[in-house]
């Protein structure tokens, strides 16, 4: 699977960005590292806030829901957001 990922990344970098990266040969890619970091942060944010956001969705208007005041407050004070 590691080789498949490296081949896919090399192909996409050449086709879409015109940049040659040799991750299949063991090199590193700035774009690949940035993607990995972004994905890691999104997953960490999701798993740390899942229970809070499920509870916030149950609150009545204007506090509850995905556009409610409690949701916005939780997002504003979270360090990853």
């Amino acid at each position: 699977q590691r080789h498949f990922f490296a081949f896919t990344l090399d192909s996409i970098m050449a086709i879409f960005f015109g940049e040659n990266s040799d991750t299949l040969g063991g090199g590193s890619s700035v774009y690949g590292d940035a993607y990995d970091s972004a994905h890691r942060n999104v997953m960490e944010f999701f798993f740390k806030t899942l229970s809070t956001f499920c509870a916030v969705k149950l609150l009545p208007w204007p506090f509850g829901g995905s556009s409610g005041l409690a949701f916005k407050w939780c997002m504003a004070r979270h360090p990853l957001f």
Side-chain angles (χ1 to χ4, degrees):
Q1 189 170 3
R2 170 87 176 123
H3 291 294
F4 180 73
F5 172 74
F7 177 73
T8 304
L9 181 64
D10 290 345
S11 301
I12 293 298
M13 291 300 293
I15 293 169
F16 290 143
F17 300 108
E19 182 178 314
N20 291 329
S21 62
D22 187 27
T23 57
L24 194 57
S28 66
S29 172
V30 176
Y31 292 105
D33 294 340
Y35 177 82
D36 288 343
S37 176
H39 185 261
R40 198 173 306 109
N41 285 333
V42 165
M43 294 307 290
E44 181 182 349
F45 174 77
F46 177 73
F47 286 121
K48 283 187 176 182
T49 59
L50 181 63
S51 60
T52 303
F53 289 148
C54 286
V56 163
K57 284 178 67 175
L58 297 174
L59 292 174
W61 183 86
F63 303 107
S66 60
S67 62
L69 296 174
F71 183 81
K72 290 178 183 177
W73 178 74
C74 288
M75 296 290 263
R77 61 186 292 268
H78 198 281
L80 290 176
F81 191 77

